[in-house]
Amino acid sequence: MRSSSTKQVAENNRGLNGRFFTLRSRLYNALALGLRNEEGGRRWSCTDVETQRHVVRTIDAFLECISSDMSLHPLVKESVADIVPALGTTLLQKNEAVMKLASKVFVKLVNVIPYSVTESLLSDIVHPLSSSLSSCHVPVVTLCATALNAILSCLSSKKDRDVWKVLEETETISYIIQQIQCGGSKPPEFFVETISLLSNILQRWPSSRFCVWNNNGLMEVLSSLSLEPMLSVRAAVLQLYSAIALCRNGAKKLLEYGNAPLQMMMESMDDVNHNYLQLAGFTLAESFVVSEEGRLKMIESYVEPLAKSIISGLSNWSLHIGKLTKEHMSLIKGACCVCKIICWPGKHHNYFWKLGIESVLLKLLLDDFHIKQMPEHFSSLDEVEALARDGLSANFLPAIKPHVWDILGGLATHCAEDFTAQMVKSELYLKILITCVCLGFAASLRSARQRCPNVENELASRAVLLMIYSPSKYISSQTKSILLGILKPLAKEDIKYLLNTLNATSSGITGTMSDNLQAIHLISLACYSGLPQYRLAELVHHSGSLKDHVWSKSTEGQLISQVRQICVNSFASGPKWYCAYLLSYFGIYGFPSKLGNTIGNALSGDESTNLTLVLANQEHVNVHGIILSVRCPSLLPSEGYTSRRKEIRLSAHVNHQALLKLLEYVYSGHLTATDDLVKRLKTLAKHCNLQPLLQTLCRNRPKWRIPFPTFDLTSALGPNGFCFSDIVLEAKGNAFENWKCKSCAISQPHLHAHKAILCASSDHMRALLCSGMQESQSETIKIDLGWNALVRLVNWLYSGKLVPKPKYGCLWNNLDEQGKLEQVIPYVELYCLSDSWLLEDLNKECSKVIVNCLDSVNMATKLIQIGADCCQWDLVELAAKFMAPSYHHLRNSGKLLELDEQLVDIVRAASVARLSQ
């Protein structure tokens, strides 16, 4: 038995040498010098400096002997658990020499011992390190920041909250900022480590960003550090700028500092720099690309060097043993992300074409072997297709391929109409590139049919769509020709599948389908409709020829309904534009929207009309001046409007039927018209300067990322709409002292509104204002809402948007409890009112805002009481579910005493339901 036990011990200690056991024995002898018996057990505590030095040096020697093979051994784990308290306590002493020694050993600890071993001890490790950042000793601060950077680089998400709690308790961010601001002549490594630590914290915990970008003193210091000759310091500043720019408000703050951050970014992206500095520059540029203000500044001030830096980042790489190094791959991805500035309009596109963007992109798709095989001329498109197909099958740099499709689509959609092959360095490379993306589209369609799409498939499909509808006739014709050749063998089956799927989706036959798959289906239909041989409208009209059972039961109306729904519900402008373009082939012109459909009903009645449009033949149409003033001011007289009813006589060239259709667009955002009316409507739309309508009437190809025309009447609430105002909406209470209206003398907070819009947008307001009751005769109506809620209600009725939204991101996170509650209360008021007014969509939007903002038990307690007082039991249930996990703590602490027993029972029931799941 003893022999067996000995063997087991020997087996367990395999890999450990005699030196390890000797140093471990010395370690525990040293640790014993500081162990004290206290209440709750033994803990390490020692104030003698010499003993502290001896212990730290012993720990250092022990860590030195641990190899990677030994680091996961149970004896090592056990030793680390005993080391951390002693090392942490020693670090918190005030002796500079001991603190420096302890912080250096902490750096060794986090680098030698695997994260899986130290994970359970993180709070005990982070606390002394973050507490020591307030030290006046530069080496100590530098080493503690180094150790914390190493910890954060591998921190798991499950430990996020614990570590952040420690960082908050020790006021880590405040001390780091103080140390950087008092930097003076401190060594470069000090700034590198402290600034890097700050950027790592900002990247991981968004709530920390506000106190950084809002500190003007820090921003000034960073600006001066950006001029440092040490590249590592400049790279650290760039990384911090990138972390700040992750917050939209932070990015705006950086841009307010003039050209300094942008200038530094551009200099760093130059290919003469080390890769790590280039990558830091690209990372910051990527944050600015998604900001409109950032994009415009980059294009306006640095368009040529920006294009050169991106092209350099995409092309200055080489393979190592047939593979890209991790460093080069990161640089290419960074350059690709910044290159997506191409997806927005601007003067920068010409620079990319001049620099040979087509050659650079092709070399990211195909390896050298296939590129060197290319002849100077191809005898047919079939040869081009064969080479491209063979090259793509090698699957060279698959992680870069989706970026290439995105960039190519952006280039195509913003080409000038006169763009030709003579404007590129290599027409051959461009043709092969187009062929590659067309093959990618065909592959995406096949994967969609097998129900296994991915992001790359969708991006390839979208790129082809943008190329088919490119303003450049050259790119459009080349894409159509190549795509037709690739799709033709299976075109009939593809079309049948796409139309059947669309019909089944609109009928609810297919059940749940991923957004990605639906997008590929719709993009594929749009691509087929762009080919002259497969016009979508003709396909639908003659769908019976497909002889398919499912589709034969469909109607053209189902397809139109599906496309309209995308136009109404999609948040992205690109899909909306293309759906509007598709609808024009079915005689529907304009831009469908929920609010437009609602306001459009006002055209059919004479309620609240105050203008009459009179034609030459004396036919007339009664309209609402306020709607015309916002949607089509060209129809109003130039001399202005008077309060009495006014007749406006129109030219003899205006056709009555065309005018009615134009008004249909003005009131609803879209119209239906036959081909014989379209010509008249084009003339009328041009005269009225309705460019978006004219674009759909002419079936002009839409451009990606161009803002989609919205149906928004909120400008009627401004000075120009005052002359049409016929009702005043008054808020309850008087939360604003010295409140003044620019248009009248009423002192109570109020809005000048318009019956026509209110009645069309709300059945409740229609019943109130048109019922003949007392309110319908009054010029002022009191709304049971505070001022902030009233503003949001009226904005909703005039635009269909719940604005302004609460503060978001780091601004929200830095509000106190009362500040957050004040932000949420208007939405709670609207939630209650929208229920009684039957504004279902507004109710849902308010509910989303409340759910997103509900982040504390105190707020939930307030909301549950408000919900009960207003008999809004859905709101009560929502707050109760949030409180459920804390029910026992709340009950024991007495925090539920302010609620009545019924509400406490609801919270208790929510807690029980949660536990039973």
Side-chain angles (χ1 to χ4, degrees), residues 526-607:
C527 289
Y528 262 111
S529 73
L531 302 177
Q533 295 82 353
Y534 305 106
R535 292 291 184 196
L536 182 57
E538 295 173 13
L539 287 171
V540 176
H541 286 310
H542 300 93
S543 59
S545 63
L546 296 175
K547 296 180 181 179
D548 184 270
H549 177 69
V550 176
W551 182 256
S552 64
K553 294 180 181 179
S554 175
T555 64
E556 184 176 315
Q558 286 178 306
L559 174 60
I560 293 172
S561 174
Q562 182 79 355
V563 177
R564 283 177 67 140
Q565 283 303 309
I566 296 164
C567 205
V568 169
N569 296 325
S570 174
F571 289 99
S573 61
K576 285 189 172 187
W577 266 112
Y578 280 95
C579 284
Y581 178 76
L582 286 175
L583 288 173
S584 68
Y585 283 93
F586 297 98
I588 301 172
Y589 303 92
F591 313 94
S593 67
K594 285 184 179 180
L595 184 63
N597 293 337
T598 301
I599 300 294
N601 297 326
L603 183 60
S604 59
D606 284 344
E607 295 172 352

XYZ file of all heavy atoms in Angstrom, residues 526-607:
636
model
N -33.323 41.403 -56.797
C -32.992 42.721 -57.350
C -31.926 42.604 -58.437
O -31.981 43.302 -59.444
C -32.522 43.643 -56.234
N -30.951 41.709 -58.240
C -29.907 41.506 -59.248
C -30.495 40.922 -60.528
O -30.169 41.375 -61.639
C -28.811 40.596 -58.702
S -27.788 41.365 -57.435
N -31.342 39.903 -60.396
C -31.984 39.324 -61.583
C -32.823 40.371 -62.309
O -32.849 40.423 -63.540
C -32.856 38.136 -61.186
C -32.174 36.795 -61.395
C -31.800 36.003 -60.314
C -31.896 36.333 -62.668
C -31.169 34.786 -60.492
C -31.263 35.115 -62.870
C -30.900 34.347 -61.784
O -30.265 33.144 -61.979
N -33.506 41.217 -61.529
C -34.354 42.227 -62.171
C -33.527 43.268 -62.910
O -34.033 43.960 -63.784
C -35.227 42.927 -61.128
O -34.460 43.814 -60.338
N -32.236 43.383 -62.567
C -31.370 44.326 -63.266
C -30.845 43.807 -64.581
O -30.267 44.567 -65.362
N -31.018 42.518 -64.827
C -30.590 41.944 -66.108
C -31.720 42.089 -67.126
O -32.861 41.731 -66.835
C -30.231 40.467 -65.933
C -29.118 40.165 -64.909
C -28.912 38.660 -64.777
C -27.814 40.844 -65.308
N -31.437 42.620 -68.311
C -32.500 42.857 -69.304
C -33.332 41.609 -69.610
O -34.518 41.704 -69.897
C -31.720 43.315 -70.544
C -30.429 43.846 -70.012
C -30.112 43.019 -68.807
N -32.700 40.446 -69.526
C -33.413 39.199 -69.860
C -34.368 38.755 -68.763
O -35.206 37.879 -68.994
C -32.394 38.076 -70.126
C -31.527 38.297 -71.342
C -30.342 39.215 -71.051
O -30.238 39.782 -69.965
N -29.456 39.371 -72.022
N -34.248 39.315 -67.574
C -35.049 38.828 -66.451
C -35.652 39.982 -65.649
O -35.453 40.087 -64.443
C -34.183 37.974 -65.511
C -33.478 36.839 -66.197
C -32.105 36.915 -66.430
C -34.164 35.712 -66.614
C -31.433 35.878 -67.068
C -33.498 34.676 -67.252
C -32.134 34.759 -67.475
O -31.484 33.743 -68.104
N -36.368 40.888 -66.309
C -37.014 41.988 -65.596
C -38.011 41.433 -64.586
O -38.859 40.597 -64.927
C -37.745 42.910 -66.577
C -36.817 43.687 -67.495
C -36.031 44.728 -66.744
N -35.203 45.538 -67.623
C -34.215 46.303 -67.229
N -33.909 46.346 -65.956
N -33.515 47.018 -68.088
N -37.944 41.892 -63.371
C -38.751 41.319 -62.289
C -40.239 41.469 -62.534
O -41.020 40.543 -62.328
C -38.380 41.980 -60.959
C -39.098 41.449 -59.727
C -38.868 39.960 -59.580
C -38.656 42.173 -58.479
N -40.670 42.671 -62.971
C -42.098 42.888 -63.181
C -42.643 41.905 -64.214
O -43.727 41.339 -64.055
C -42.349 44.325 -63.631
N -41.835 41.681 -65.272
C -42.277 40.743 -66.305
C -42.329 39.323 -65.747
O -43.228 38.546 -66.067
C -41.301 40.809 -67.482
C -41.305 42.170 -68.195
C -40.213 42.261 -69.251
O -39.641 41.207 -69.578
O -39.944 43.374 -69.723
N -41.352 38.985 -64.908
C -41.339 37.647 -64.307
C -42.608 37.398 -63.503
O -43.211 36.334 -63.555
C -40.119 37.489 -63.397
C -38.757 37.345 -64.100
C -37.653 37.411 -63.075
C -38.695 36.054 -64.882
N -43.011 38.396 -62.730
C -44.192 38.238 -61.886
C -45.456 38.169 -62.731
O -46.337 37.335 -62.510
C -44.280 39.392 -60.870
C -45.547 39.278 -60.055
C -43.076 39.351 -59.952
N -45.549 39.064 -63.722
C -46.730 39.068 -64.581
C -46.897 37.742 -65.323
O -48.003 37.304 -65.600
C -46.627 40.203 -65.609
C -46.865 41.555 -65.007
N -47.952 41.851 -64.219
C -46.122 42.701 -65.067
C -47.893 43.109 -63.821
N -46.787 43.645 -64.315
N -45.771 37.116 -65.642
C -45.823 35.853 -66.393
C -45.370 34.677 -65.533
O -44.833 33.702 -66.013
C -44.927 35.956 -67.639
C -45.344 37.058 -68.564
N -44.803 38.320 -68.495
C -46.270 37.094 -69.560
C -45.351 39.102 -69.419
N -46.249 38.384 -70.073
N -45.577 34.802 -64.229
C -45.097 33.754 -63.325
C -45.788 32.423 -63.564
O -45.285 31.383 -63.204
C -45.306 34.195 -61.866
O -46.676 34.453 -61.625
N -46.952 32.451 -64.196
C -47.650 31.200 -64.464
C -46.855 30.286 -65.370
O -46.992 29.069 -65.328
N -45.980 30.883 -66.175
C -45.185 30.066 -67.090
C -44.179 29.201 -66.353
O -43.625 28.276 -66.913
C -44.439 30.969 -68.076
O -43.540 31.792 -67.367
N -43.950 29.534 -65.073
C -43.010 28.733 -64.294
C -43.635 27.409 -63.866
O -42.959 26.505 -63.431
C -42.549 29.502 -63.063
C -41.746 30.771 -63.363
C -41.456 31.511 -62.068
C -40.454 30.436 -64.084
N -44.979 27.348 -63.933
C -45.700 26.098 -63.641
C -45.354 25.553 -62.265
O -45.102 24.375 -62.091
C -45.387 25.056 -64.713
C -45.880 25.475 -66.099
C -45.562 24.419 -67.134
C -46.028 24.837 -68.520
N -45.709 23.856 -69.559
N -45.330 26.423 -61.302
C -45.051 25.972 -59.942
C -46.306 26.096 -59.099
O -46.952 27.136 -59.090
C -43.922 26.812 -59.326
C -43.551 26.290 -57.952
O -44.158 26.765 -56.994
O -42.667 25.434 -57.871
N -46.605 25.071 -58.332
C -47.875 25.015 -57.594
C -47.981 26.131 -56.558
O -48.993 26.802 -56.470
C -48.008 23.659 -56.905
C -49.247 23.539 -56.061
N -50.504 23.491 -56.622
C -49.397 23.482 -54.721
C -51.397 23.395 -55.642
N -50.747 23.394 -54.482
N -46.889 26.342 -55.786
C -46.962 27.340 -54.713
C -47.116 28.736 -55.284
O -47.946 29.522 -54.872
C -45.697 27.249 -53.826
C -45.717 28.332 -52.767
C -45.605 25.881 -53.166
N -46.287 29.057 -56.310
C -46.318 30.414 -56.830
C -47.600 30.709 -57.583
O -48.052 31.839 -57.639
C -45.100 30.649 -57.726
C -45.096 32.055 -58.235
C -45.432 32.507 -59.471
C -44.769 33.217 -57.481
N -45.329 33.864 -59.543
C -44.923 34.326 -58.331
C -44.367 33.429 -56.163
C -44.679 35.616 -57.914
C -44.126 34.707 -55.761
C -44.289 35.792 -56.623
N -48.235 29.719 -58.152
C -49.452 29.967 -58.923
C -50.562 30.523 -58.045
O -51.483 31.165 -58.525
C -49.914 28.670 -59.605
O -50.266 27.710 -58.627
N -50.506 30.276 -56.737
C -51.526 30.806 -55.826
C -51.200 32.226 -55.383
O -51.976 32.881 -54.714
C -51.620 29.902 -54.587
C -52.133 28.501 -54.886
C -52.180 27.685 -53.604
C -52.675 26.272 -53.883
N -52.690 25.460 -52.645
N -50.023 32.685 -55.744
C -49.617 34.013 -55.303
C -50.211 35.078 -56.210
O -50.713 34.806 -57.278
C -48.099 34.105 -55.322
O -47.685 35.395 -55.011
N -50.146 36.292 -55.726
C -50.588 37.420 -56.529
C -49.476 38.438 -56.563
O -48.562 38.429 -55.736
C -51.834 38.086 -55.914
O -51.484 38.626 -54.653
C -52.972 37.097 -55.770
N -49.561 39.304 -57.537
C -48.590 40.385 -57.629
C -48.644 41.251 -56.369
O -47.634 41.766 -55.909
C -48.898 41.234 -58.872
C -47.913 42.331 -59.133
C -48.218 43.058 -60.428
O -48.502 42.383 -61.434
O -48.175 44.296 -60.420
N -49.820 41.366 -55.792
C -49.997 42.178 -54.601
C -49.174 41.685 -53.432
O -48.701 42.486 -52.616
N -48.986 40.344 -53.319
C -48.196 39.808 -52.220
C -46.734 40.240 -52.332
O -46.101 40.591 -51.337
C -48.286 38.289 -52.190
C -49.641 37.774 -51.684
C -49.697 36.266 -51.731
O -49.455 35.672 -52.774
N -50.013 35.654 -50.619
N -46.217 40.199 -53.556
C -44.839 40.616 -53.774
C -44.679 42.097 -53.449
O -43.748 42.499 -52.744
C -44.434 40.349 -55.224
C -43.053 40.876 -55.637
C -41.965 40.253 -54.791
C -42.800 40.619 -57.112
N -45.611 42.905 -53.947
C -45.553 44.346 -53.690
C -45.629 44.620 -52.190
O -44.886 45.444 -51.645
C -46.699 45.070 -54.431
C -46.487 44.972 -55.944
C -46.794 46.525 -54.001
C -47.648 45.487 -56.758
N -46.509 43.896 -51.512
C -46.666 44.080 -50.064
C -45.370 43.761 -49.331
O -44.966 44.483 -48.411
C -47.794 43.189 -49.553
O -47.879 43.249 -48.154
N -44.700 42.686 -49.753
C -43.438 42.284 -49.108
C -42.366 43.352 -49.294
O -41.671 43.730 -48.349
C -42.956 40.955 -49.715
C -41.690 40.404 -49.095
C -41.952 39.720 -47.775
O -43.065 39.730 -47.276
N -40.931 39.119 -47.209
N -42.249 43.852 -50.519
C -41.228 44.862 -50.802
C -41.544 46.158 -50.066
O -40.656 46.830 -49.534
C -41.109 45.098 -52.321
C -40.103 46.203 -52.621
C -40.684 43.816 -53.021
N -42.824 46.519 -50.003
C -43.220 47.740 -49.291
C -42.894 47.627 -47.805
O -42.486 48.611 -47.167
C -44.723 47.988 -49.469
C -45.090 48.557 -50.817
C -46.571 48.726 -50.970
N -47.096 49.748 -50.085
C -48.029 50.620 -50.441
N -48.519 50.613 -51.666
N -48.463 51.508 -49.594
N -43.086 46.449 -47.229
C -42.802 46.261 -45.818
C -41.324 46.501 -45.510
O -40.971 47.078 -44.493
C -43.209 44.850 -45.360
C -44.696 44.682 -45.162
C -45.252 45.690 -44.167
O -44.744 45.852 -43.071
N -46.307 46.379 -44.567
N -40.459 46.049 -46.436
C -39.032 46.279 -46.247
C -38.757 47.775 -46.314
O -37.990 48.326 -45.530
C -38.220 45.546 -47.320
C -38.425 44.035 -47.168
C -36.742 45.890 -47.229
C -38.009 43.244 -48.352
N -39.402 48.429 -47.266
C -39.224 49.870 -47.436
C -39.669 50.619 -46.180
O -39.062 51.617 -45.781
C -40.060 50.327 -48.639
S -39.457 51.816 -49.414
N -40.717 50.126 -45.535
C -41.263 50.795 -44.347
C -40.457 50.452 -43.098
O -40.169 51.333 -42.274
C -42.746 50.396 -44.142
C -43.243 50.852 -42.779
C -43.613 50.985 -45.242
N -40.062 49.195 -42.941
C -39.518 48.732 -41.665
C -37.998 48.703 -41.587
O -37.444 48.707 -40.494
C -40.047 47.323 -41.357
C -41.554 47.328 -41.165
O -42.125 48.270 -40.632
N -42.206 46.268 -41.611
N -37.297 48.622 -42.717
C -35.840 48.530 -42.679
C -35.242 49.831 -42.160
O -35.712 50.915 -42.472
C -35.281 48.235 -44.076
O -33.878 48.273 -44.052
N -34.174 49.707 -41.353
C -33.513 50.899 -40.826
C -32.420 51.397 -41.761
O -32.023 52.543 -41.700
C -32.915 50.601 -39.446
C -33.942 50.445 -38.380
C -34.356 49.187 -37.981
C -34.523 51.549 -37.779
C -35.312 49.037 -36.994
C -35.481 51.411 -36.788
C -35.871 50.151 -36.406
N -31.913 50.523 -42.613
C -30.803 50.897 -43.497
C -31.332 51.592 -44.744
O -32.338 51.182 -45.325
C -30.007 49.653 -43.885
N -30.633 52.652 -45.169
C -31.105 53.415 -46.319
C -30.937 52.651 -47.625
O -31.764 52.782 -48.528
C -30.349 54.745 -46.403
O -28.957 54.525 -46.579
N -29.871 51.834 -47.728
C -29.622 51.099 -48.973
C -30.776 50.196 -49.388
O -31.326 50.346 -50.483
N -31.189 49.249 -48.512
C -32.320 48.382 -48.876
C -33.590 49.176 -49.167
O -34.368 48.808 -50.060
C -32.494 47.496 -47.630
C -31.152 47.479 -46.990
C -30.562 48.828 -47.244
N -33.831 50.263 -48.453
C -35.033 51.076 -48.701
C -35.006 51.673 -50.107
O -36.007 51.667 -50.817
C -35.124 52.197 -47.661
C -35.562 51.743 -46.280
C -35.818 52.951 -45.401
C -36.447 52.527 -44.084
N -36.854 53.673 -43.273
N -33.848 52.207 -50.503
C -33.739 52.791 -51.838
C -34.008 51.742 -52.921
O -34.706 52.013 -53.908
C -32.345 53.384 -52.041
C -32.232 54.841 -51.723
C -31.549 55.404 -50.696
C -32.828 55.930 -52.441
N -31.670 56.771 -50.715
C -32.452 57.127 -51.789
C -33.642 56.014 -53.562
C -32.851 58.389 -52.222
C -34.045 57.272 -54.004
C -33.654 58.432 -53.345
N -33.445 50.554 -52.747
C -33.614 49.540 -53.780
C -35.042 48.998 -53.811
O -35.551 48.649 -54.867
C -32.584 48.413 -53.600
C -31.248 48.821 -54.160
C -30.275 49.370 -53.350
C -30.985 48.720 -55.518
C -29.068 49.794 -53.864
C -29.789 49.137 -56.046
C -28.827 49.677 -55.217
O -27.634 50.101 -55.735
N -35.680 48.944 -52.664
C -37.089 48.535 -52.651
C -37.953 49.594 -53.333
O -38.880 49.260 -54.076
C -37.558 48.307 -51.216
S -36.951 46.757 -50.522
N -37.653 50.871 -53.083
C -38.389 51.942 -53.767
C -38.168 51.849 -55.269
O -39.084 52.069 -56.072
C -37.930 53.300 -53.241
N -36.952 51.506 -55.654
C -36.630 51.345 -57.077
C -37.420 50.180 -57.682
O -37.986 50.287 -58.776
C -35.127 51.114 -57.221
C -34.657 50.879 -58.641
C -34.538 51.934 -59.535
C -34.319 49.602 -59.072
C -34.093 51.711 -60.837
C -33.866 49.373 -60.360
C -33.762 50.434 -61.245
O -33.329 50.213 -62.535
N -37.491 49.066 -56.961
C -38.255 47.911 -57.448
C -39.742 48.243 -57.568
O -40.404 47.843 -58.533
C -38.067 46.721 -56.506
C -36.716 45.998 -56.550
C -36.669 44.922 -55.476
C -36.466 45.379 -57.909
N -40.268 48.980 -56.601
C -41.698 49.317 -56.634
C -42.065 50.153 -57.850
O -43.203 50.098 -58.328
C -42.082 50.066 -55.349
C -42.141 49.224 -54.065
C -42.351 50.125 -52.856
C -43.246 48.174 -54.145
N -41.098 50.929 -58.363
C -41.400 51.766 -59.531
C -41.764 50.922 -60.745
O -42.489 51.377 -61.631
C -40.204 52.666 -59.850
O -39.091 51.914 -60.306
N -41.301 49.676 -60.787
C -41.649 48.787 -61.902
C -43.086 48.271 -61.798
O -43.610 47.677 -62.729
C -40.672 47.604 -61.973
C -39.332 47.988 -62.564
C -38.283 48.368 -61.748
C -39.137 48.003 -63.942
C -37.059 48.737 -62.279
C -37.918 48.366 -64.489
C -36.882 48.738 -63.656
O -35.682 49.113 -64.196
N -43.705 48.498 -60.652
C -45.100 48.100 -60.463
C -46.026 49.321 -60.402
O -47.166 49.222 -59.960
C -45.245 47.292 -59.170
C -44.481 46.001 -59.188
C -43.227 45.911 -58.599
C -44.999 44.878 -59.825
C -42.517 44.732 -58.622
C -44.283 43.692 -59.847
C -43.037 43.610 -59.258
N -45.504 50.480 -60.836
C -46.330 51.681 -60.870
C -46.476 52.379 -59.534
O -47.361 53.217 -59.367
N -45.607 52.045 -58.560
C -45.630 52.706 -57.251
C -44.366 53.543 -57.133
O -43.258 53.023 -57.188
C -45.696 51.675 -56.106
C -46.949 50.818 -56.244
C -45.684 52.378 -54.743
C -46.998 49.650 -55.284
N -44.561 54.841 -56.991
C -43.436 55.765 -56.999
C -43.356 56.521 -55.673
O -44.372 56.970 -55.166
C -43.575 56.766 -58.160
C -43.689 56.097 -59.505
C -44.950 55.781 -60.034
C -42.560 55.758 -60.239
C -45.064 55.150 -61.270
C -42.663 55.132 -61.467
C -43.924 54.822 -61.981
O -44.030 54.200 -63.197
N -42.146 56.638 -55.151
C -41.975 57.350 -53.890
C -41.432 56.447 -52.812
O -40.773 55.436 -53.085
N -41.765 56.785 -51.563
C -41.111 56.155 -50.427
C -42.132 55.853 -49.331
O -42.431 56.714 -48.490
C -40.021 57.096 -49.906
C -39.170 57.644 -51.021
C -39.478 58.877 -51.590
C -38.124 56.913 -51.539
C -38.716 59.381 -52.640
C -37.363 57.397 -52.590
C -37.665 58.642 -53.150
N -42.708 54.653 -49.352
C -43.738 54.289 -48.367
C -43.207 54.390 -46.935
O -42.041 54.094 -46.666
C -44.071 52.837 -48.727
C -43.673 52.691 -50.154
C -42.474 53.578 -50.328
N -44.080 54.819 -46.026
C -43.737 54.898 -44.605
C -45.018 54.769 -43.789
O -46.115 55.008 -44.304
C -43.049 56.228 -44.279
O -43.958 57.307 -44.442
N -44.872 54.405 -42.532
C -46.046 54.259 -41.662
C -46.758 55.587 -41.484
O -47.976 55.682 -41.607
C -45.623 53.705 -40.296
C -45.281 52.232 -40.300
C -44.970 51.752 -38.886
C -44.645 50.259 -38.885
N -44.326 49.766 -37.518
N -45.988 56.636 -41.180
C -46.613 57.929 -40.959
C -47.245 58.458 -42.238
O -48.325 59.048 -42.213
C -45.586 58.933 -40.429
C -46.147 60.311 -40.072
C -47.165 60.195 -38.934
C -45.036 61.279 -39.695
N -46.581 58.240 -43.363
C -47.143 58.668 -44.643
C -48.479 58.013 -44.921
O -49.429 58.655 -45.390
N -48.565 56.725 -44.632
C -49.842 56.020 -44.826
C -50.938 56.628 -43.955
O -52.107 56.688 -44.347
C -49.677 54.534 -44.483
C -48.762 53.828 -45.455
O -48.574 54.275 -46.585
N -48.167 52.727 -45.031
N -50.554 57.082 -42.761
C -51.529 57.676 -41.833
C -51.950 59.071 -42.277
O -53.134 59.386 -42.373
C -50.917 57.749 -40.417
O -50.554 56.423 -40.000
C -51.901 58.316 -39.430
N -50.969 59.935 -42.559
C -51.267 61.307 -42.968
C -51.988 61.328 -44.311
O -52.801 62.219 -44.581
C -49.971 62.141 -43.045
C -49.285 62.190 -41.682
C -50.243 63.551 -43.550
C -50.045 62.936 -40.613
N -51.714 60.344 -45.143
C -52.360 60.287 -46.455
C -53.876 60.275 -46.381
O -54.557 60.729 -47.309
N -54.424 59.775 -45.276
C -55.890 59.745 -45.131
C -56.497 61.149 -45.078
O -57.678 61.340 -45.362
C -56.272 58.970 -43.866
C -55.850 57.515 -43.941
O -55.867 56.912 -45.019
N -55.456 56.942 -42.820
N -55.685 62.128 -44.683
C -56.206 63.497 -44.571
C -56.558 64.091 -45.922
O -57.359 65.026 -46.013
C -55.168 64.382 -43.868
N -55.982 63.561 -47.005
C -56.247 64.107 -48.338
C -57.673 63.858 -48.794
O -58.231 64.629 -49.569
C -55.249 63.495 -49.347
C -55.341 63.999 -50.784
C -55.093 65.501 -50.858
C -54.327 63.253 -51.664
N -58.262 62.780 -48.284
C -59.605 62.405 -48.753
C -60.723 63.178 -48.070
O -61.885 63.075 -48.460
C -59.825 60.904 -48.539
O -59.685 60.579 -47.164
N -60.414 63.952 -47.032
C -61.457 64.711 -46.331
C -61.167 66.195 -46.351
O -60.046 66.630 -46.622
N -62.187 66.998 -46.064
C -62.034 68.451 -46.070
C -61.831 69.039 -44.679
O -61.828 70.270 -44.504
C -63.271 69.110 -46.706
C -63.253 68.968 -48.230
O -62.175 68.656 -48.767
O -64.301 69.163 -48.871
N -61.672 68.170 -43.655
C -61.510 68.671 -42.291
C -60.233 69.487 -42.171
O -59.152 69.057 -42.564
C -61.447 67.494 -41.309
C -62.744 66.704 -41.233
C -62.583 65.434 -40.413
O -61.426 65.116 -40.044
O -63.581 64.761 -40.147
